[in-house]
Amino acid sequence: MYDVIIIGGGVTGCCIARNLSKYDLKIALLEKEADIASGTTKANSGVVHAGFASPREYVKRDVCIKGNKLYTQAFEELNFSFQRIGSFVVALEDNQIKKLEEQRRQGTQDGVPGLEVILDKKKIKYMEPNLTDDVVGVLHAPTAGIVSPYGMTYALAENAAMNGVKFFRNQKVRRIKHQNYTFIIKTKDKEFKATNVINAAGVYGAKISKMVGLDYFDIMPRKGEYILFDRNAMHLNKILFPTPTKVSKGILVCPTVSGNTFVGPNAQNITDKKDLATTEAGLKEILEGGRHLVPNLPVRASIRNFAGLRAVPDTYDFIIDNTDVFGFINVVGILSPGLTSCYAIAERVSEFLELLGANMTIKEDYNPIRPKPEKFKDFSKIELDKKIKEDPAWGRIICRCETIPEKEILNALHSPVGATTVDGIKFRCRPGMGRCQGGFCRPRLIEILSRELNIPYEEVMKTGEETNFLVAKTKEIVLRSLEGGSEE
Ligand SMILES: Cc1cc2nc3c(=O)[nH]c(=O)nc-3n(C[C@H](O)[C@H](O)[C@H](O)COP(=O)(O)OP(=O)(O)OC[C@H]3O[C@@H](n4cnc5c(N)ncnc54)[C@H](O)[C@@H]3O)c2cc1C
């Protein structure tokens, strides 16, 4: 019997898990996919917003402003990639300056530090030389930053696991029964019991809520497409937003913590919660949008297109509710800026649990530090020589584009809540994220996964069930067909 079960291993669920792991509670997290950070958390802009953009009456504005501030401590404790580089909201017409002034005034009143409207074009271009000459002014937010959304989520999960949280992946919640103040949660092959349940199931949040009879909101997906450019194709100093529209913050041009640049996202309301396809029209739209801000986008250096789904609730605001079903907490409809807000959301959830009578005594052995993963690129030549002597896996380069040695891959596999799939490795330590997008290193990754997990090649998956790259050995297929079997 658990004190708390969290449903959903995105940034929201993992951040709640990590925050609760400091208390004397028995906690489990259930994730339907083969890995955590497989939903919206995997594909978004990775911007830590300053917090002035959402309407003032929304909960998401409050938790975003608080969440941004909490990043400093989290970064120090969890050692994920995060840089406070600052953002520009860009005005291209004189009449947009009024909007920027309004955002500055209200943002400052609500506690966003350092906001400044800059009209001096020379100064603006000095701060961001790639910006269009058509700029007439910008709202500078120095506390905005960039983060690896999945990198941070892995760090949160690792630290939560170090502090006792149990992670169960490949566990899709199918039914929840509530009787005698106990939730009985059924997955395909397991049953879990808990006193409290936290629903952090992203776009599927309404479905989980309905399982306990709570049918008071709906969630629809809104797709956002992106184009990613090669590392070092362009060096942006700032996150660049256009002056916003009603439905979205607009198409931005932004650097990533790994040195890439991207343009996107657009905003399309869709119905299929699995539709992550990019379209020609969508990519055209984001390129056109991005070029308004940065005319010389390095289109020839584009290495990947991808899409993410915002979980849009019918209230358009985050749903963070201690519900009428005693012990059931909804943390859903966490659209943008959910990544920024996660630390503040997690604090709210702790307050709810205290009200529900959970034991919120801080454990004596709680350790908030997640050690920094060692990286080949961070070592000096002397350090590297020493490392290779200690363990030759540091010297075997598996991904040439990103210079990733076998040792980093082994560490990603054997860390707490470690990778079990090819994408799990790719997102943890970047083999396959470079220019060739895995063309060279994927077979080697399959080999390493097969060896380390002690499974045949055919059982090595890209992301989860039925995503294997290999079906059988070529010779076996030929032999089978010669013996009269099917060639398939
Ligand atoms: C295009 C786009 C751009 C964005 N940009 C930003 C940004 O720059 N800054 C920012 O702050 N925010 C941004 N966001 C928002 C941010 O990405 C989300 O707020 C955040 O990722 C939501 O995380 P989550 O954990 O709530 O959801 P998810 O990451 O979707 O996690 C939910 C998890 O629940 C699991 N699950 C679902 N059903 C079940 C079940 N039945 N049983 C078990 N598990 C289940 C899913 O598999 C999934 O892993 C953006 C979002 C999008 C789509």
Side-chain angles (χ1 to χ4, degrees), residues 7-13 30-33 35 37-49 171-174 200-204 208 211 222 224 226 265 308-310 331 334-341:
I7 302 173
V11 70
T12 306
L30 312 183
E31 167 54 50
K32 76 177 165 72
E33 300 296 333
D35 207 350
S38 291
T40 303
T41 297
K42 192 172 173 179
N44 56 64
S45 304
V47 172
V48 176
H49 293 281
Q171 294 298 323
K172 179 175 179 175
V173 172
R174 294 185 161 182
V203 284
Y204 297 97
I208 298 288
M211 289 182 193
R222 181 181 290 158
Y226 292 92
L309 299 183
R310 303 168 182 91
V331 190
I334 308 297
L335 62 171
S336 190
L339 182 65
T340 311
S341 313

Side-chain angles (χ1 to χ4, degrees), residues 119-177:
L119 301 175
D120 177 347
K121 208 162 151 176
K122 249 195 191 158
K123 184 173 173 188
I124 296 169
K125 292 283 285 185
Y126 176 74
M127 291 171 84
E128 181 45 76
N130 293 292
L131 195 55
T132 173
D133 290 340
D134 295 337
V135 59
V136 293
V138 298
L139 172 58
H140 181 217
T143 56
I146 50 175
V147 67
S148 162
Y150 36 86
M152 184 175 86
T153 304
Y154 299 138
L156 286 162
E158 277 179 32
N159 189 241
M162 281 168 53
N163 286 298
V165 176
K166 298 273 177 276
F167 283 78
F168 296 90
R169 291 174 279 181
N170 288 312
Q171 294 298 323
K172 179 175 179 175
V173 172
R174 294 185 161 182
R175 272 195 310 281
I176 307 176
K177 220 158 100 184

